[in-house]
Amino acid sequence: MIKAIAIDDEPIALKVIENFCTEIEIISLEKTFNNAEDGLKYLKKFPADLIFLDIDMPNLNGIDLYKQVK
């Protein structure tokens, strides 16, 4: 099983990702975040195999968040 999280500041985009993940049996969407900082805190404690990540977010954009993930 692929453990995934989604980080996007748009609730509609998160809903699309949730619906997509329910259709794909090998992806387990563990959690969604509408705030990049909260998503980063989560990832530091609970690693994920797959991150659905919005590039254009306020405060911390997706590329900068990606660079901080080990």
Side-chain angles (χ1 to χ4, degrees):
M1 184 68 67
I2 298 171
K3 287 196 241 180
I5 68 163
I7 305 171
D8 198 311
D9 62 325
E10 296 180 32
I12 293 173
L14 289 173
K15 197 64 171 164
V16 168
I17 293 168
E18 287 176 17
N19 289 338
F20 170 77
C21 288
T22 61
E23 298 289 323
I24 309 299
E25 293 178 13
I26 63 170
I27 297 177
S28 171
L29 186 62
E30 303 289 314
K31 204 143 173 83
T32 63
F33 299 92
N34 59 6
N35 178 299
E37 289 86 3
D38 291 342
L40 185 58
K41 285 179 195 174
Y42 178 87
L43 283 170
K44 288 181 179 181
K45 291 183 180 181
F46 307 100
D49 302 313
L50 176 64
I51 305 170
F52 294 96
L53 184 58
D54 185 8
I55 298 298
D56 186 25
M57 293 184 287
N59 301 325
L60 179 63
N61 72 45
I63 294 182
D64 290 338
L65 185 146
Y66 170 77
K67 289 177 182 177
Q68 293 182 39
V69 174
K70 303 268 184 232

